[in-house]
Amino acid sequence: MLSPLRIDAVPTTIDVLAIPGACPRFSRDEEIFGEGEAADYVYQVVTGAVRTYRILRDGRRQIDEFHFAGEYFGLEMGETHRITAEALTDASIRMIRRGALSDLASKRCDAARALFRLTAEGLQRSQDHVLMLGRRSAQERVVGLLLDIAERTNARAELDVPMGRQDMADYLGLTIETVSRTLTALQDEGLIALPTVRHIVLKDRKALERKVD
Amino acid sequence: MLSPLRIDAVPTTIDVLAIPGACPRFSRDEEIFGEGEAADYVYQVVTGAVRTYRILRDGRRQIDEFHFAGEYFGLEMGETHRITAEALTDASIRMIRRGALSDLASKRCDAARALFRLTAEGLQRSQDHVLMLGRRSAQERVVGLLLDIAERTNARAELDVPMGRQDMADYLGLTIETVSRTLTALQDEGLIALPTVRHIVLKDRKALERKVD
DNA sequence: CGACACTTTGAAGAGGTTCAACTGGTGTGG
DNA sequence: CCACACCAGTTGAACCTCTTCAAAGTGTCG
């Protein structure tokens, strides 16, 4: 029997959730939903990329997560969104009514498990993020992000980063200057190349991986 | 109909999960489960408190979460634990077989929802942690922790902190010295008192709350 | 009562931030 | 199609928060 707790045993296709829904386009920096709004939908990135973040009263911003093609976001526990989501690049986003999801989950056991899995994966990612912010140096954070982007966008050495330096900084808990300096340092070490600002080449992935363990 | 996605609508008693299970005692600093071990149980703090953490190769430790009476921990997505759990104080811990939970979840809809809710709450807490580590100062972090402990242990002004300074530091992404200095500073400001090292009095909660928003 | 572990305090140092200026890519309008 | 303007990114220098290393203090338990 397939335990709903052993979520990794679920077949990789989370697409049991792929209820056809509206799939609107958002242009770069356009808000998809805002903190405090009613959480009536769950979202999936179809093309493009998304950032989710929170802002403190005085303007400090912490990016919670970047979301790439195929990934889900905006699944909330309560009635309202606790975070804001914006298109990082021009993006098309599938919107799925929570009601439709609930119905599906109550009818199909695997759908319920897939939802649970989604949340648990988000938790794991968040825990990794905590470790990164709590105990890693600026360089380790930047390298970690680059490798993470590479993995999630299925890039080998040539990385197209969809976010600007400020986004990286606000994800990594650093300033834009530190991110910039760190990238140049990595370039000087010969580990990466920066042909353009949003195109990064991982020249020595082994060495990069050694830096983050 | 009660949507499995609107988890906050579930009656507050998560005790649908309270399958009677073994309830062993652990003494302070004793390991409850270790990273890499098979995750065959889910755990609930009955009395005492628990820390869960991960350690980097070079010894840097990041405490993921503290768990207080009534709270669940150790619910993993995969077959093995990704983190380590230790008793923060002498503690009695209820151990629930994952198999038993699965059975319950497949029979009772509310149990499945409660599990989902647990995970989603953990995610929320982790996201708050990320914001704390990414964008808050040492003082804000320490104050945040104190208020959090107060809330979760239902303490009014008199706080019994179950963890030492090193635990606070490793939760907050700081050093033990910084935690100590920050507490003294808060005492000097008249916001708290430190009668003993593990007993903290919140003398001006309003002012403390203003510091974290 | 004494030993040991934890905490506090001090002083020096480093990593990252802040503020400011410069550079370069991009996009738009003439 | 080129020129200019503008925004994002880079670089530099001073500063600051937090860390590191060291030592003294405090409480706890045998």
Side-chain angles (χ1 to χ4, degrees):
Chain A
M1 170 196 154
L2 210 52
S3 152
L5 295 179
R6 307 250 167 127
I7 332 177
D8 60 340
V10 175
T12 44
T13 38
I14 313 184
D15 297 325
V16 286
L17 299 183
I19 306 171
C23 192
R25 306 199 126 271
F26 293 87
S27 43
R28 175 193 283 211
D29 293 332
E30 192 178 343
E31 180 171 303
I32 299 169
F33 56 80
E35 189 177 337
E37 288 180 10
D40 294 330
Y41 294 89
V42 174
Y43 303 79
Q44 184 185 26
V45 181
V46 177
T47 62
V50 168
R51 67 176 153 247
T52 51
Y53 65 86
R54 282 194 289 170
I55 291 196
L56 298 178
R57 227 174 269 297
D58 63 2
R60 286 175 287 180
R61 182 179 75 155
Q62 177 64 47
I63 291 187
D64 185 62
E65 193 57 85
F66 298 117
H67 303 276
F68 296 95
E71 299 178 358
Y72 291 81
F73 64 98
L75 177 50
E76 292 282 349
M77 193 173 109
E79 298 291 321
T80 59
H81 286 292
R82 288 161 25 96
I83 57 179
T84 301
E86 288 173 357
L88 208 48
T89 60
D90 292 354
S92 54
I93 307 292
R94 176 179 295 134
M95 296 172 64
I96 305 161
R97 278 198 182 281
R98 274 169 77 165
L101 265 190
S102 317
D103 294 350
L104 184 67
S106 58
K107 271 184 294 212
R108 292 185 54 177
C109 218
D110 55 347
R113 254 183 261 127
L115 278 174
F116 186 34
R117 175 186 189 165
L118 241 44
T119 311
E121 279 175 347
L123 176 56
Q124 282 198 5
R125 290 196 55 80
S126 189
Q127 287 171 342
D128 290 343
H129 202 176
V130 163
L131 179 59
M132 179 122 133
L133 296 178
R135 288 297 178 223
R136 311 201 91 121
S137 69
Q139 198 179 58
E140 291 171 329
R141 297 185 204 187
V142 171
V143 170
L145 176 58
L146 294 185
L147 292 175
D148 188 39
I149 295 174
E151 189 179 324
R152 293 165 73 189
T153 60
N154 301 310
R156 287 195 53 75
E158 308 263 318
L159 260 195
D160 275 310
V161 299
M163 72 287 285
R165 300 292 188 260
Q166 186 64 60
D167 288 313
M168 295 188 193
D170 287 347
Y171 177 77
L172 298 174
L174 300 170
T175 60
I176 184 174
E177 293 95 334
T178 299
V179 171
S180 182
R181 273 187 260 266
T182 304
L183 286 171
T184 7
L186 289 170
Q187 186 176 32
D188 294 347
E189 290 183 53
L191 302 188
I192 65 171
L194 299 161
T196 79
V197 105
R198 294 195 175 218
H199 190 214
I200 299 179
V201 184
L202 310 183
K203 295 180 68 179
D204 188 347
R205 189 189 276 248
K206 283 261 162 27
L208 290 169
E209 278 161 359
R210 268 196 301 276
K211 290 210 182 247
V212 291
D213 246 358
Chain B
M1 168 194 157
L2 211 49
S3 154
L5 294 179
R6 306 250 168 127
I7 331 177
D8 60 341
V10 175
T12 44
T13 39
I14 313 185
D15 298 325
V16 285
L17 300 184
I19 306 171
C23 193
R25 307 200 125 271
F26 293 86
S27 43
R28 175 194 283 212
D29 292 333
E30 192 178 342
E31 181 171 302
I32 300 169
F33 56 79
E35 190 177 336
E37 289 181 9
D40 294 329
Y41 293 89
V42 174
Y43 302 81
Q44 184 185 26
V45 181
V46 177
T47 62
V50 167
R51 67 177 152 247
T52 50
Y53 65 87
R54 280 194 291 171
I55 291 196
L56 298 179
R57 226 174 269 298
D58 62 1
R60 287 175 287 179
R61 182 179 75 156
Q62 177 64 46
I63 291 186
D64 185 63
E65 192 57 85
F66 297 117
H67 303 275
F68 297 96
E71 299 179 359
Y72 292 82
F73 64 99
L75 178 50
E76 293 282 349
M77 193 173 110
E79 298 290 321
T80 60
H81 287 291
R82 288 162 26 95
I83 57 179
T84 301
E86 288 173 357
L88 208 47
T89 61
D90 292 355
S92 54
I93 306 292
R94 176 178 295 135
M95 295 173 64
I96 306 162
R97 280 197 182 281
R98 275 169 76 165
L101 265 190
S102 314
D103 293 350
L104 184 67
S106 58
K107 272 184 294 210
R108 294 184 53 178
C109 216
D110 54 348
R113 254 183 260 125
L115 278 174
F116 185 35
R117 175 184 189 165
L118 242 45
T119 310
E121 279 175 347
L123 176 56
Q124 281 197 6
R125 292 196 54 79
S126 188
Q127 287 171 342
D128 290 344
H129 201 176
V130 163
L131 179 59
M132 180 120 132
L133 296 178
R135 287 299 178 222
R136 309 202 92 122
S137 69
Q139 197 178 61
E140 290 170 330
R141 295 185 205 187
V142 170
V143 170
L145 176 58
L146 294 184
L147 292 174
D148 188 39
I149 295 174
E151 190 179 323
R152 292 165 74 189
T153 60
N154 300 310
R156 288 192 55 70
E158 308 263 320
L159 260 196
D160 276 309
V161 299
M163 72 289 286
R165 299 290 187 262
Q166 186 63 60
D167 289 313
M168 295 190 193
D170 287 347
Y171 177 76
L172 298 174
L174 300 170
T175 61
I176 185 174
E177 295 94 333
T178 301
V179 171
S180 182
R181 274 187 259 267
T182 304
L183 287 170
T184 335
L186 289 169
Q187 186 175 33
D188 293 347
E189 289 182 52
L191 301 188
I192 66 172
L194 299 162
T196 79
V197 104
R198 291 188 177 227
H199 189 212
I200 300 179
V201 184
L202 309 183
K203 295 179 68 178
D204 188 347
R205 190 188 276 250
K206 284 262 162 27
L208 289 169
E209 277 162 359
R210 267 196 303 275
K211 287 206 183 254
V212 291
D213 245 359

